[in-house]
């Protein structure tokens, strides 16, 4: 995901002013996207269910809107180029659909979901071309966050949270013993359950971190530091939250403290930590969001890009080939 520096913000495209040479390619993109989503509909249904019904992934409902906003910011730059279908993109479509089929066959939803998402990303490359895909590098990369992930790191996060909490409890003067995920204190026995692992907080912060890092920073060093903060801070903060629950329970009882903790963590705590992270980074912001990524003038200087665009494909062929691949994948999934 290599968005680079731009000196001036691109002018926004006025509503209803889609250039003539973009109209057919955009219609083609809608057609192939529908075909690919129809072919992989089972995975898209599973992903939407997770976004909607599982609170760990509720924030992913915002990702399509974030992607749309990022594309809108690049609309002016897109009008400065002409879309050129790129046949090597079809190779990525094939690879993505194979990944989807492998995930369905093996029962590994993460692979199937990733394949369904990458197929759409590859379709943009195939239908709109390499130059357009480079201009849209950040919104396309944000598409990776449509894939629900994070369950795999719940167990280690539980142990980290337990260790931070028991260390702080002991420092506060409250006697405590720990055995695995169980913390025994005078007020009762506390268990760092999956819901207390902080994975929801961490995944949401990582998503926000990528968005902010590549829209507000130009320096890779600052991006790396900000991303590190978006990983380390929520982990530490979750340990502090668990400690606070145990400490307060010594006075008001374990049941009351736990109930209060869930309300505060769900509605207030995340917002406070998020605000603190953004406030801490604010003074080092280097650019405005519309300056993210490359601009058309920068891409025009890349000789290799012009050479790569000789691998062109007729627009109708791009649509026919992609839709055919989607149909083949759908049939293969039914066998």
């Amino acid at each position: 995901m290599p968005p680079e520096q731009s000196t001036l913000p691109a002018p926004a495209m006025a509503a209803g002013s889609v250039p003539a040479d973009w109209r057919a390619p955009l219609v083609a993109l809608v057609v192939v996207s529908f075909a690919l989503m129809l072919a992989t509909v089972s995975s898209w249904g599973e992903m939407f269910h997770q976004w909607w019904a599982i609170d760990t992934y509720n924030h992913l409902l915002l990702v399509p809107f974030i992607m749309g906003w990022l594309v809108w910011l690049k609309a002016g730059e897109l009008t400065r180029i002409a879309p050129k279908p790129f046949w090597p993109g079809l190779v990525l479509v094939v690879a993505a659909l194979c990944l989807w089929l492998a995930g369905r066959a093996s029962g590994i939803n993460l692979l199937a979901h990733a394949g369904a998402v990458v197929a759409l990303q590859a379709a943009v490359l195939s239908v709109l071309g390499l130059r357009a895909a480079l201009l849209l590098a950040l919104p396309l990369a944000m598409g990776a966050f449509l894939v629900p992930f994070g369950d795999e790191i719940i167990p280690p996060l539980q142990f980290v949270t337990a260790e931070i909490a028991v260390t702080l409890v002991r420092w506060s003067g409250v006697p405590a013993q720990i055995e695995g995920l169980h913390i025994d204190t005078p007020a009762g026995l506390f268990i760092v359950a999956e819901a207390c692992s902080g994975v929801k907080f961490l995944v949401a912060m990582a998503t926000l971190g990528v968005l902010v890092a590549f829209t507000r920073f130009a320096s890779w060093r600052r991006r790396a530091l900000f991303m590190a903060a978006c990983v380390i801070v929520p982990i530490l903060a979750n340990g502090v939250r668990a400690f606070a629950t145990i400490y307060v329970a010594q006075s008001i009882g374990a049941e009351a403290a736990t109930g209060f903790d869930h309300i505060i963590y769900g509605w207030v705590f995340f917002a406070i930590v998020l605000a603190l992270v953004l406030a801490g980074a604010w003074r080092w912001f280097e650019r405005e969001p519309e300056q993210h990524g490359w601009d058309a003038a920068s891409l025009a200087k890349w000789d290799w890009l012009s050479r790569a665009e000789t691998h062109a494909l007729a627009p109708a062929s791009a649509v026919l080939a992609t839709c055919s691949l989607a149909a083949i994948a759908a049939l293969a999934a039914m066998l």
Side-chain angles (χ1 to χ4, degrees), residues 141-157:
M142 288 296 296
F145 290 105
L146 293 172
V147 180
F149 65 91
D151 288 350
E152 304 80 9
I153 61 174
I154 287 178
L157 285 178

Side-chain angles (χ1 to χ4, degrees), residues 17-327:
S17 63
V18 178
D21 57 353
W22 273 93
R23 292 170 190 167
L26 289 177
V27 171
L29 182 61
V30 171
V31 171
V32 300
S33 297
F34 177 78
L36 288 169
M37 292 187 73
L38 185 62
T40 58
V41 66
S42 56
S43 292
W44 284 103
E46 292 166 357
M47 285 190 285
F48 183 80
H49 172 75
Q50 290 181 270
W51 303 344
W52 185 263
I54 302 176
D55 60 358
T56 301
Y57 305 118
N58 287 161
H59 69 282
L60 298 186
L61 290 167
L62 298 175
V63 172
F65 298 98
I66 292 172
M67 294 171 65
W69 173 65
L70 291 170
V71 170
W72 180 79
L73 291 178
K74 282 295 180 185
E77 291 297 335
L78 289 170
T79 63
R80 296 174 180 173
I81 68 170
K84 297 179 181 178
F86 188 61
W87 74 259
L90 294 174
V91 177
L92 291 181
V93 173
V94 171
L97 291 174
C98 287
L99 180 64
W100 175 73
L101 287 170
R104 300 304 296 178
S106 64
I108 303 176
N109 286 338
L110 184 62
L111 292 181
H113 297 167
V117 170
V118 174
L120 287 186
Q121 294 169 316
V124 174
L125 176 63
S126 300
V127 175
L128 300 186
L130 181 57
R131 194 175 298 260
L134 288 171
L135 286 178
L136 298 175
L138 181 56
L140 287 175
M142 288 296 296
F145 290 105
L146 293 172
V147 180
F149 65 91
D151 288 350
E152 304 80 9
I153 61 174
I154 287 178
L157 285 178
Q158 287 176 274
F159 282 101
V160 170
T161 298
E163 290 295 335
I164 294 173
V166 76
T167 299
L168 294 176
V169 167
R170 289 169 177 169
W171 284 357
S172 71
V174 175
Q177 298 295 324
I178 184 171
E179 183 175 345
L181 301 176
H182 298 75
I183 301 175
D184 192 12
T185 73
L189 181 66
F190 294 84
I191 302 174
V192 181
E194 290 186 3
C196 302
S197 67
V199 66
K200 173 173 65 175
F201 193 8
L202 178 59
V203 171
M205 283 289 287
T207 305
L208 175 74
V210 170
L211 176 63
V212 174
F214 287 94
T215 55
R216 303 311 304 267
F217 295 111
S219 161
W220 281 98
R221 178 174 177 273
R222 291 185 179 183
R223 288 173 182 167
L225 290 173
F226 184 76
M227 285 304 303
C230 287
V231 172
I232 295 171
V233 171
I235 292 174
L236 295 178
N238 191 58
V240 171
R241 179 198 60 81
F243 152 71
T245 301
I246 296 172
Y247 186 77
V248 170
Q250 308 308 308
S251 301
I252 66 174
E255 186 174 347
T258 302
F260 180 74
D261 165 69
H262 287 165
I263 295 173
I264 293 298
Y265 182 55
W267 296 101
V268 178
F269 187 75
F270 175 76
I272 292 174
V273 175
L274 174 61
L276 290 175
V277 171
L278 289 176
W282 192 277
R283 62 175 296 185
W284 287 284
F285 284 172
E286 299 171 293
R287 62 185 182 187
E288 295 302 316
E290 58 266 26
Q291 295 174 292
H292 76 80
W294 296 291
D295 57 26
S298 298
L299 297 183
K301 300 175 183 178
W302 296 2
D303 293 336
W304 71 266
L305 180 55
S306 298
R307 292 193 298 270
E309 287 180 321
T310 59
H311 300 292
L313 183 68
S317 298
V319 174
L320 180 61
T322 307
C323 290
S324 298
L325 291 172

